C-alpha cells in the first residue's frame, strides 16, 4: 500500500501490528523540533554529477525515488531484497522520466 501525506505520518496507520516504512522529504528530532531535509547535500551532488545536470534539486530526487519505488520493473527485480532490507536507489537511465512519474503519481508539489 502506498500513501502520500502532507503531515507527519502515523507509523501504525495500517494496523495489525505491522509498522510502516516512511521516506519523508523532511525529518524531525524525536520531540518534533529541528525540521531538516531528508535528502542530503551529498546525495544532491551525486545525482547532479551522475546525470551531469545542475538543475536537479532535492524535490526532483524525492519524486524520482517515489517514481522508482513504484515502478513495476523495479519492484519485480528487487522483490526479494525489498522483503528484508531498505530499498536501494539505483541511477536509472532517464532521471526526468522517473521524477515526473513520481511527482504525478504522488500528487505532491514541490515545496510542501
Amino acid at each position: 500500500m502506498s500513501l502520500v501525506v502532507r503531515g507527519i505520518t502515523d507509523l501504525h496507520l495500517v494496523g495489525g501490528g505491522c509498522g510502516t516504512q516512511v521516506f519523508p522529504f523532511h525529518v524531525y528530532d524525536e520531540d518534533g523540533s529541528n525540521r531538516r531535509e531528508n535528502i542530503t547535500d551529498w546525495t544532491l551532488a551525486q545525482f547532479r554529477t551522475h546525470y551531469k545536470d545542475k538543475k536537479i534539486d532535492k524535490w526532483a530526487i524525492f519524486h524520482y525515488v517515489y517514481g522508482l519505488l513504484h515502478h513495476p520493473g523495479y519492484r519485480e527485480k528487487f522483490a526479494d531484497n525489498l522483503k528484508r532490507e531498505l530499498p536501494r536507489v539505483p541511477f536509472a537511465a532517464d532521471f526526468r522520466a522517473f521524477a515526473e512519474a513520481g511527482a504525478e503519481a504522488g500528487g505532491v508539489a514541490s515545496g510542501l
Side-chain angles (χ1 to χ4, degrees):
M1 175 187 332
S2 299
L3 177 67
V4 176
V5 298
R6 290 179 182 242
I8 297 175
T9 305
D10 178 353
L11 293 178
H12 301 288
L13 180 68
V14 178
C18 63
T20 304
Q21 288 184 325
V22 179
F23 304 105
F25 185 82
H26 291 105
V27 293
Y28 303 81
D29 287 345
E30 212 168 293
D31 65 359
S33 66
N34 193 27
R35 178 176 137 160
R36 59 200 177 279
E37 295 169 338
N38 200 22
I39 297 171
T40 65
D41 292 337
W42 179 86
T43 300
L44 177 61
Q46 295 297 307
F47 273 81
R48 285 179 172 175
T49 299
H50 179 82
Y51 291 108
K52 297 175 180 57
D53 184 350
K54 293 188 184 279
K55 293 181 182 178
I56 291 175
D57 63 11
K58 291 180 180 183
W59 275 106
I61 295 169
F62 179 79
H63 295 307
Y64 168 88
V65 171
Y66 189 86
L68 184 74
L69 293 179
H70 290 84
H71 188 276
Y74 174 86
R75 294 172 74 147
E76 182 179 319
K77 181 176 182 177
F78 296 104
D80 290 336
N81 295 65
L82 292 170
K83 291 176 187 174
R84 61 180 183 266
E85 61 188 40
L86 290 173
R88 296 175 188 223
V89 180
F91 291 119
D94 189 346
F95 174 84
R96 291 290 172 195
F98 278 100
E100 290 169 11
E104 185 176 314
V108 180
S110 297
L112 288 179

